[in-house]
Amino acid sequence: MQYRENRFEKNIVILIFILGIMLSILIPTGQIPDEYTHLTMIGDSVGVKNFSDNIMKSVSIDVERLEQHYEEKIDMSQQKNILTQPPIYTRREMLPKKLSIAILKHLPATVGIYIGIILGVPGYWVLQLGELFALAFYAYICYIALKLIPIKKTMMAWFMLFPMALQQASSINYDAVLIPMCYLYISYILYLKYNAEEIKLNNTLILLTMWLLITYIKVPYVLLVLLVFLLPLEKVHISIGKYEVNERVIRKCMLPAIIIMSVCAVLGIYFFRKVWFIQILYGFAIEWKRGLYLLYSTGKTWTEFLFVSTVGNFGWLDTPISLNVALIVFGVVIAFALIDEKKEKKCMNIKDVIVIEGTAIILCVFVTLALVNHTIMVILYGSEAASGTYEIREALYQIPYIGGVQGRYYLPICSLFFIPLHSPICVSIKKQNKLLNIVGIIIYIYIITVLIKRYWGV
């Protein structure tokens, strides 16, 4: 027990830091997808015009030469120069002019970037500090999640160490906030279900805050809220002033609440019917046969790509790992899912399994549907940023499948598919930790070899 309390989670945090920093260095500046866009988003959130341009111009390296050109390698002379190249901006012009709520999406990276700006270090180190703080946030939230989760601890730790997750965590990207917050939300739900004696007001507010942040970062993950149906009603004792919400009150209010939420959903769809995501949901509901075909066609077309890119397809999606390695990584997921550290296991009933697996499936569909607008705009108008409009029911027949899907979009919810698996094998947490270290080292030796060959030409 002492080992579990003091060593396992710390070991995972150390691994996350070491491996994350290695990925941050091995994947060159400008090679993480949309990093420039995320810098622009940070600039908008602090009211600084040309924020992203000022930083990237201070790192005078030809990033486009490497994109989608596997034969191109790092120019070592350029790489050495950017280590000491002074920034082109002044501290004054980069200081925040405002602070908007959008800063929450990139808060850890923003803090690191501004420490670098204030210290006056070269642009390269400004970006590295941003990535370091993003990685630190990811590691800390993963640490809390692992401390809380009562089941599948090693399996969840393995997901946290996925190369794709660590690439995103060690970059200027809101995935560094989104992915660990989803892990924490899932872990907290399971903690309340199995370990908490009561579910009080503070527990409810913590859950609500996490859910709101996740939804604000990426709307399709809103349906993570469905996991609350795992919570035992008999544990609920929420005191609000003189009133207490408990199982009896919840059961009494359940039917009226369902009616009110249904009415609100219908009204919401009506009033926000011009919003693109609502339009897509409407289109898939009306043209449900075409919708099912598009989902089937998407799965058939992109299955291998999605499978590989969930584990590791680095840079601008031009450096995939081997399919066999991806299969091994998911094989390890299943192996850890079948292992428990206690003989007295926390078993799930059929209702819990349906809630978890149903939530996972619905979220996968929602995340995929979020890319329908991207696909339609690219096929019909050549770019998602184009100003054209379309009629959703007609547009669904003009696309062959849903494009733009990437495995990293499903990483936050991937663990849900494996959590309900029964764990018939009893192995101590100490032995699980050793096994995780061995497998992790082997996989990352391969990953590092792939990245060195891709970018550094060694």
Side-chain angles (χ1 to χ4, degrees):
M1 182 62 70
Q2 188 69 21
Y3 181 90
R4 171 180 173 177
E5 291 178 353
N6 296 328
R7 292 287 299 276
F8 182 76
E9 294 86 356
K10 292 179 181 178
N11 177 65
I12 299 303
V13 169
I14 291 171
L15 283 175
I16 287 173
F17 258 110
I18 293 173
L19 299 174
I21 290 172
M22 291 174 66
L23 291 182
S24 175
I25 295 171
L26 289 174
I27 302 174
T29 301
Q31 295 308 304
I32 302 294
D34 303 323
E35 201 161 31
Y36 178 85
T37 302
H38 286 281
L39 284 171
T40 302
M41 293 169 68
I42 293 174
D44 292 339
S45 70
V46 296
V48 177
K49 189 177 181 181
N50 298 325
F51 182 89
S52 52
D53 286 334
N54 284 340
I55 292 179
M56 294 309 295
K57 287 179 180 177
S58 297
V59 187
S60 57
I61 189 169
D62 185 6
V63 297
E64 294 182 359
R65 183 176 60 85
L66 294 177
E67 294 174 16
Q68 303 299 327
H69 298 96
Y70 196 89
E71 71 284 355
E72 295 289 342
K73 310 300 177 185
I74 283 292
D75 185 325
M76 294 304 295
S77 61
Q78 280 189 350
Q79 193 66 28
K80 290 178 182 178
N81 289 337
I82 64 174
L83 297 179
T84 56
Q85 182 180 343
I88 66 168
Y89 53 79
T90 64
R91 293 186 184 90
R92 181 181 294 273
E93 67 182 297
M94 295 292 280
L95 290 178
K97 307 299 186 294
K98 67 171 186 179
L99 290 177
S100 70
I101 191 172
I103 199 173
L104 292 175
K105 295 182 178 182
H106 304 87
L107 184 58
T110 304
V111 171
I113 287 171
Y114 266 105
I115 288 175
I117 290 172
I118 292 170
L119 292 176
V121 299
Y124 172 81
W125 296 108
V126 168
L127 289 176
Q128 289 300 115
L129 280 170
E131 293 175 356
L132 179 63
F133 272 70
L135 180 64
F137 177 84
Y138 178 87
Y140 179 68
I141 298 300
C142 287
Y143 174 79
I144 297 175
L146 287 176
K147 293 285 284 186
L148 288 173
I149 194 166
I151 59 174
K152 303 291 190 290
K153 185 184 290 285
T154 310
M155 186 201 76
M156 185 63 81
W158 183 243
F159 271 113
M160 292 170 179
L161 292 169
F162 264 37
M164 203 67 215
L166 291 186
Q167 174 191 275
Q168 299 305 107
S170 59
S171 66
I172 312 299
N173 193 302
Y174 54 48
D175 280 352
V177 176
L178 175 70
I179 295 175
M181 289 306 301
C182 287
Y183 292 158
L184 180 59
Y185 182 88
I186 294 168
S187 298
Y188 196 61
I189 287 281
L190 294 172
Y191 164 78
L192 293 178
K193 176 177 175 59
Y194 289 113
N195 286 6
E197 295 182 3
E198 293 183 337
I199 299 174
K200 299 181 179 180
L201 179 61
N202 64 320
N203 304 124
T204 308
L205 293 177
I206 290 171
L207 265 183
L208 180 62
T209 301
M210 287 192 289
W211 175 72
L212 289 173
L213 177 59
I214 290 167
T215 303
Y216 178 68
I217 295 174
K218 273 193 176 180
V219 173
Y221 297 98
V222 63
L223 290 182
L224 268 174
V225 71
L226 294 175
L227 292 178
V228 299
F229 289 106
L230 289 174
L231 302 179
L233 292 182
E234 61 271 16
K235 285 189 175 185
V236 177
H237 296 281
I238 302 173
S239 298
I240 305 175
K242 298 179 180 179
Y243 302 96
E244 180 177 317
V245 179
N246 52 32
E247 180 181 5
R248 182 180 59 82
V249 174
I250 293 173
R251 292 192 184 280
K252 188 176 180 179
C253 297
M254 193 170 291
L255 181 59
I258 291 173
I259 295 173
I260 291 172
M261 286 189 291
S262 300
V263 172
C264 289
V266 172
L267 292 175
I269 291 173
Y270 175 77
F271 285 115
F272 296 99
R273 61 190 182 278
K274 299 297 183 182
V275 176
W276 66 267
F277 194 68
I278 300 298
Q279 284 191 63
I280 290 168
L281 292 177
Y282 170 78
F284 269 74
I286 299 300
E287 301 290 342
W288 62 272
K289 290 183 179 180
R290 179 63 181 176
L292 289 176
Y293 169 78
L294 286 175
L295 290 173
Y296 166 77
S297 179
T298 301
K300 183 179 179 181
T301 305
W302 298 105
T303 296
E304 182 176 332
F305 172 78
L306 285 173
F307 197 70
V308 170
S309 62
T310 301
V311 179
N313 193 342
F314 305 103
W316 285 91
L317 299 175
D318 61 1
T319 310
I321 64 171
S322 163
L323 175 61
N324 290 331
V325 173
L327 289 171
I328 291 172
V329 169
F330 271 100
V332 174
V333 169
I334 295 172
F336 283 136
L338 299 176
I339 293 174
D340 200 330
E341 62 175 306
K342 299 178 181 178
K343 293 182 180 179
E344 297 180 2
K345 300 175 176 63
K346 297 178 173 67
C347 297
M348 293 187 177
N349 57 37
I350 188 65
K351 174 250 185 184
D352 295 336
V353 173
I354 291 173
V355 169
I356 295 175
E357 296 291 356
T359 301
I361 293 169
I362 293 171
L363 278 167
C364 283
V365 172
F366 254 57
V367 170
T368 306
L369 291 184
L371 295 162
V372 171
N373 180 69
H374 162 82
T375 308
I376 292 173
M377 294 301 292
V378 168
I379 289 179
L380 297 187
Y381 301 103
S383 170
E384 188 175 11
S387 58
T389 59
Y390 56 84
E391 203 286 316
I392 183 62
R393 296 180 66 178
E394 295 179 0
L396 291 179
Y397 286 91
Q398 298 182 57
I399 60 175
Y401 48 72
I402 302 169
V405 290
Q406 297 179 33
R408 64 187 175 94
Y409 300 152
Y410 304 92
L411 258 177
I413 55 177
C414 201
S415 62
L416 293 177
F417 288 103
F418 303 93
I419 285 174
L421 292 181
H422 179 58
S423 305
I425 305 170
C426 183
V427 178
S428 70
I429 194 71
K430 185 175 182 179
K431 290 181 179 178
Q432 290 182 46
N433 187 26
K434 289 182 178 178
L435 178 61
L436 185 146
N437 287 338
I438 293 170
V439 177
I441 289 171
I442 293 172
I443 293 296
Y444 269 91
I445 287 174
Y446 167 78
I447 297 296
I448 291 168
T449 303
V450 169
L451 292 175
I452 290 176
K453 182 178 178 182
R454 164 63 181 96
Y455 292 112
W456 303 89
V458 177

